[in-house]
Amino acid sequence: MKKRTDLTVSRSGPLRGRVSVPGDKSISHRAVLFNAIAEGKAMIRGFSSAQDCRSSLMAMRALGVEVDELEPDVLVVSGLGLKGLVEPDDVIDVGNSGTTIRMLPGILAGQKFYSVLTGDASIRRRPMARIIEPLRQMGCRIWGRARDSLAPISIQGGRLNGISYSTPIPSAQVKSAILLAGLYADGETIVMESTVSRDHTERMLIAMGAEMEVSTRTVSVAGGRKLGALDMVVPGDISSAAYLIVASLLIEGSEIEVSGVGVNPTRTGILDVLNAMGGRVEVSNRTVSGGEERGDLGVRAAGLKAVTIEGEIIPRLIDEIPIAAVAATQAEGETAIRGAAELRVKESDRIAALARELLKMGASLEELEDGLIVKGPVKLRGAEVDSHGDHRIAMSLAVAALIAEGETTIKHAECIDISYPGFIEDLKNLALHQQARG
Ligand code: S3P
């Protein structure tokens, strides 16, 4: 358990220079989990330094997988094949990582042994029926606390059958759990989504040789096919880059480049929204590796106008809504965010947390059941705010603090390490770079 840390942030001068962010968290999780059940060794470069990804790594070690850490961001995973994992001799603790606890059961469902997954207090509050139900339909013996709705989750793996399943909410974690179980199932497994969620699982499994068919809202996988180990370079995390981008848009005189960021179209909703608001985020030097596109993101300060964020774009920027709400406090007009009730069951209730903390800083906003109405532009002022133990809330408040009058103290800011351990250093370097040049 990390020591509780409060973070004090003051108003910042312009941000300038070039920066790279840690590897994409979603892709890093998948790189470890999927290579662990592949045949052979895979070298993963650019593996995220996020605590969440470490939770996935430790979980796979607990299941008998050898992972060599050649450098902090370079791993070699020795795959044990689809059914080669070994029964863990203790409960596996995933910490704060929702992606680990939701995807891993798809793999454990196909093993011959018993395993139990748990996590921190936030994880033990988050809904798990969304994976337990479809895995049960596939024949898995799986249970959870509170009538199979909460972690700890216990799984007795065994024989599985393919299913055709329509997900009630668009969720890449749920889709991935079912597709992973589908690798072990007799016959074909089909997942249908009402709105497309991030597709890293499909891209990576296809690159590893899985037999899959992907159309707009439907993905299918054939059971029983082996996976080949996949060497890869993980692109930078657009969800982490988003804090630096919004900070640069809001602080007059800023101009930065975030290099090598993943620009998979199922993740770039934040760029579309910021550009619609009048921000100029440009993508250059696009390259593709392992089915995932990356590019350099150039951004400079700009005046913003309000937009409506709703519908199909929501899953494409679900993790970036907190920072989009901070941008909206500085945009001319009324920004409406709707259809995002999922935010209430993330690491914290992000709608309530944002409303409560941004109001303390003088923002003008209204909480909706499924979103927020934010009026701008307003002058923010420093305040004592709380992260609610949620990394994305902590970093969003830190960006708000950079443009606020006076000092802001963010309580429990240690959670930033869950996804972006170098966040404060990167911000300081961008601000310092300016001072050195100016
Ligand atoms: C993730 C999917 C999203 C996202 C989470 C990471 C993933 O969650 O919010 O941070 O890596 O698949 P849902 O699948 O619950 O939408």
Side-chain angles (χ1 to χ4, degrees):
M1 187 72 189
K2 266 205 96 170
K3 203 169 114 252
R4 291 194 160 182
T5 322
D6 296 344
L7 175 70
T8 302
V9 182
S10 320
R11 198 177 172 84
S12 170
L15 304 181
R16 285 189 168 249
R18 185 188 281 199
V19 63
S20 49
V21 290
D24 187 89
K25 185 156 85 75
S26 289
I27 298 176
S28 295
H29 282 296
R30 287 162 171 81
V32 170
L33 262 59
F34 302 179
N35 275 306
I37 53 165
E39 312 278 325
K41 284 183 193 247
M43 184 172 298
I44 304 162
R45 295 174 190 277
F47 185 73
S48 169
S49 51
Q51 250 176 40
D52 264 8
C53 298
R54 187 117 213 122
S55 295
S56 275
L57 191 160
M58 296 310 281
M60 297 327 285
R61 280 192 177 143
L63 290 159
V65 180
E66 203 179 294
V67 184
D68 289 330
E69 298 179 65
L70 303 188
E71 284 170 45
D73 67 340
V74 182
L75 306 181
V76 174
V77 179
S78 301
L80 295 175
L82 278 180
K83 297 201 174 172
L85 300 179
V86 296
E87 184 172 271
D89 61 8
D90 200 353
V91 170
I92 294 178
D93 186 345
V94 305
N96 191 245
S97 179
T99 305
T100 315
I101 203 164
R102 297 242 179 81
M103 291 203 309
L104 188 51
I107 292 176
L108 296 173
Q111 310 298 319
K112 286 205 181 80
F113 55 73
Y114 176 75
S115 50
V116 182
L117 302 179
T118 191
D120 68 9
S122 155
I123 279 292
R124 283 179 276 116
R125 281 192 295 270
R126 296 182 66 185
M128 295 298 152
R130 54 182 67 189
I131 56 145
I132 291 178
E133 274 167 22
L135 292 178
R136 266 205 185 144
Q137 283 185 27
M138 296 179 81
C140 178
R141 288 188 289 155
I142 175 166
W143 306 268
R145 191 166 60 84
R147 293 172 184 246
D148 301 322
S149 67
L150 297 174
I153 298 171
S154 52
I155 302 158
Q156 175 58 59
R159 195 157 176 185
L160 302 175
N161 50 271
I163 55 167
S164 179
Y165 191 79
S166 294
T167 53
I169 26 139
S171 161
Q173 294 172 350
V174 173
K175 173 174 64 177
S176 302
I178 302 168
L179 292 174
L180 287 167
L183 293 171
Y184 296 89
D186 294 335
E188 196 185 28
T189 297
I190 304 169
V191 184
M192 287 156 292
E193 295 188 291
S194 55
T195 310
V196 183
S197 64
R198 63 190 68 189
D199 65 358
H200 306 300
T201 293
E202 297 88 307
R203 286 171 191 260
M204 202 179 291
L205 288 179
I206 288 169
M208 296 174 90
E211 201 179 310
M212 296 182 89
E213 268 177 46
V214 181
S215 62
T216 322
R217 291 191 187 81
T218 305
V219 190
S220 65
V221 62
R225 308 287 191 285
K226 287 179 180 172
L227 299 179
L230 182 68
D231 290 334
M232 68 181 90
V233 186
V234 179
D237 198 329
I238 192 168
S239 298
S240 300
Y243 303 101
L244 307 180
I245 291 171
V246 170
S248 304
L249 283 171
L250 300 185
I251 303 171
E252 218 183 299
S254 298
E255 185 169 356
I256 68 162
E257 183 183 286
V258 195
S259 32
V261 178
V263 288
N264 174 319
T266 61
R267 294 286 297 285
T268 48
I270 185 66
L271 303 187
D272 297 352
V273 161
L274 293 174
N275 283 332
M277 291 174 93
R280 283 165 292 170
V281 187
E282 274 156 26
V283 187
S284 58
N285 299 327
R286 289 178 184 263
T287 53
V288 181
S289 150
E292 294 282 355
E293 198 176 15
R294 76 177 64 219
D296 298 335
L297 306 184
V299 53
R300 69 169 81 127
L304 301 180
K305 57 179 194 294
V307 286
T308 296
I309 307 173
E310 63 184 357
E312 301 235 321
I313 200 164
I314 295 292
R316 293 180 54 229
L317 85 169
I318 189 74
D319 293 341
E320 290 69 68
I321 290 178
I323 191 60
V326 172
T329 67
Q330 303 309 307
E332 188 76 46
E334 199 173 280
T335 295
I337 302 166
R338 293 199 199 86
E342 268 294 298
L343 289 177
R344 293 203 180 271
V345 291
K346 292 291 179 186
E347 285 81 331
S348 71
D349 175 342
R350 286 184 175 159
I351 295 176
L354 280 169
R356 195 162 156 182
E357 305 308 322
L358 288 175
L359 280 174
K360 289 182 193 164
M361 297 182 76
S364 167
L365 49 80
E366 189 191 324
E367 188 177 332
L368 307 175
E369 210 29 65
D370 63 345
L372 289 165
I373 305 283
V374 186
K375 289 188 190 127
V378 292
K379 277 209 161 76
L380 296 179
R381 52 175 191 271
E384 187 177 296
V385 291
D386 196 300
S387 72
H388 296 239
D390 184 330
H391 54 122
R392 303 215 185 275
I393 298 297
M395 287 187 277
S396 300
L397 293 171
V399 171
L402 293 175
I403 53 161
E405 210 57 69
E407 258 185 10
T408 298
T409 300
I410 303 163
K411 304 289 240 183
H412 305 151
E414 70 283 353
C415 57
I416 288 174
D417 290 358
I418 292 291
S419 64
Y420 189 175
F423 173 62
I424 299 300
E425 285 69 30
D426 285 349
L427 273 179
K428 279 187 182 159
N429 286 337
L430 292 170
L432 273 181
H433 193 270
Q434 165 64 12
Q435 277 166 20
R437 286 160 42 124

